[in-house]
């Protein structure tokens, strides 16, 4: 079974406010914050995204292991439901294994309610891409993070953006519109039941990608990720796809009963409403093992390429 850190574990640590705005504060406060950096903690942070000429201030929550590091890190990208308990459960799980985890809240600062009903952006979004690049920049300024050992990790809609930051054509499009990309980009990506596989079927990721999908998913149907993975691998990409037969969307969400969300339209069958979600303990356990092995290989075993 996947190891789940209780929701209240480690709460009460100082806010991980090791931010650029620390400058100019009294020396005593700097000492306090330095002590917070050495201890495992979780706290709210904010950073500028990478939108050229008009960066937006984005909010997040940083989860840091005990000690001064430096540690490898991950940027966690939520789905259309926004940041939920399971997002932070994964962040704690990663922290316990020696990774810094930054949960990015792309909806909160924009005052956008979580809405999975469709009608918004279903394809690549420059705003959320820019948030992910801003999060990478932020982590690379922290002394407790290894700047060339940062991966993206996204769920559903967030899985698209996790892939976008290692997708070569997306990065080139970002440069063309003026985004200043960090010298050391994302080292790897994990996408769990992602949207957007059909959009990227003719493109190419340039860093290792782990895809975890449900075989019975009717929200982000698995065939598009199968086709994307096969096409990219044929062109030389390092893509690992794991499909769980009979598993639905949200298979990793502990406590999610099997349910049909009848107000959500199936994205590839217009006019058909109702998508199935359900926790699958066996799939969740295997997914956690696959994630741990993938991160050990891509972030801990060797420097990013």
């Amino acid at each position: 079974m996947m190891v789940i850190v209780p929701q209240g574990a480690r709460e009460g640590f100082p806010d991980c406010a090791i931010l650029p705005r620390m400058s100019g504060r009294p020396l005593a406060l700097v000492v306090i914050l330095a002590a917070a950096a050495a201890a495992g903690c979780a706290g709210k942070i904010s950073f500028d995204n990478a939108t050229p000429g008009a960066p937006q201030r984005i909010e997040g929550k940083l989860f840091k292991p005990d000690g001064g590091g430096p540690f490898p890190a991950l940027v966690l990208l939520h789905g259309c439901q926004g940041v939920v308990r399971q997002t932070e459960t994964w962040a704690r799980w990663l922290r316990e294994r020696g990774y810094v985890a930054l949960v990015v809240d792309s909806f909160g600062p924009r005052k956008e309610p979580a809405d999975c009903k469709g009608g918004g952006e279903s394809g690549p979004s420059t705003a959320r891409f820019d948030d992910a690049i801003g999060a990478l920049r932020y982590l690379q300024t922290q002394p407790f993070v290894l700047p060339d050992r940062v991966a993206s990790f996204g769920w559903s809609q967030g899985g698209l953006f996790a892939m976008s930051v290692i997708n070569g054509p997306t990065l080139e499009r970002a440069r063309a519109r003026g985004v200043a990309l960090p010298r050391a980009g994302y080292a790897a990506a994990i996408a769990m039941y992602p949207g957007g596989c059909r959009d990227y079927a003719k493109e190419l990721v340039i860093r290792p990608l782990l895809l975890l999908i449900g075989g019975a998913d009717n929200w982000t149907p698995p065939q598009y990720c199968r086709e994307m993975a096969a096409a990219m691998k044929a062109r030389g990409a390092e893509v690992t796809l794991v499909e769980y037969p009979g598993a639905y969307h949200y298979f990793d969400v502990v406590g999610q009963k099997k349910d049909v969300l009848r107000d959500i339209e199936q994205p590839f069958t217009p006019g058909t409403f109702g998508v199935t979600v359900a926790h699958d303990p066996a799939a969740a356990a295997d997914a956690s093992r696959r994630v741990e092995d993938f991160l050990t290989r891509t972030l801990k075993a060797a420097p990013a390429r």
Side-chain angles (χ1 to χ4, degrees), residues 204-227:
L204 189 68
V205 293
I206 59 173
R207 294 289 183 267
L209 170 64
L210 174 63
L211 289 165
L212 301 164
I213 61 176
D217 197 326
N218 58 0
W219 195 348
T220 53
Q223 66 264 30
Y224 298 110
C225 287
R226 288 189 215 115
E227 292 168 3

Side-chain angles (χ1 to χ4, degrees), residues 163 189-194 197-198 205 208-215 220-233 237-245 251 286-287 289-290 294 297:
M163 295 189 294
I190 303 166
M192 192 168 287
Y193 38 85
C197 286
R198 189 172 70 168
V205 293
L209 170 64
L210 174 63
L211 289 165
L212 301 164
I213 61 176
T220 53
Q223 66 264 30
Y224 298 110
C225 287
R226 288 189 215 115
E227 292 168 3
M228 183 196 75
M232 286 190 174
K233 288 175 71 174
E238 185 177 339
V239 180
T240 302
L241 182 142
V242 182
E243 182 172 344
Y244 299 107
F251 62 75
D286 186 76
R289 180 180 63 81
R290 301 270 188 172
F294 178 77
R297 178 170 60 84

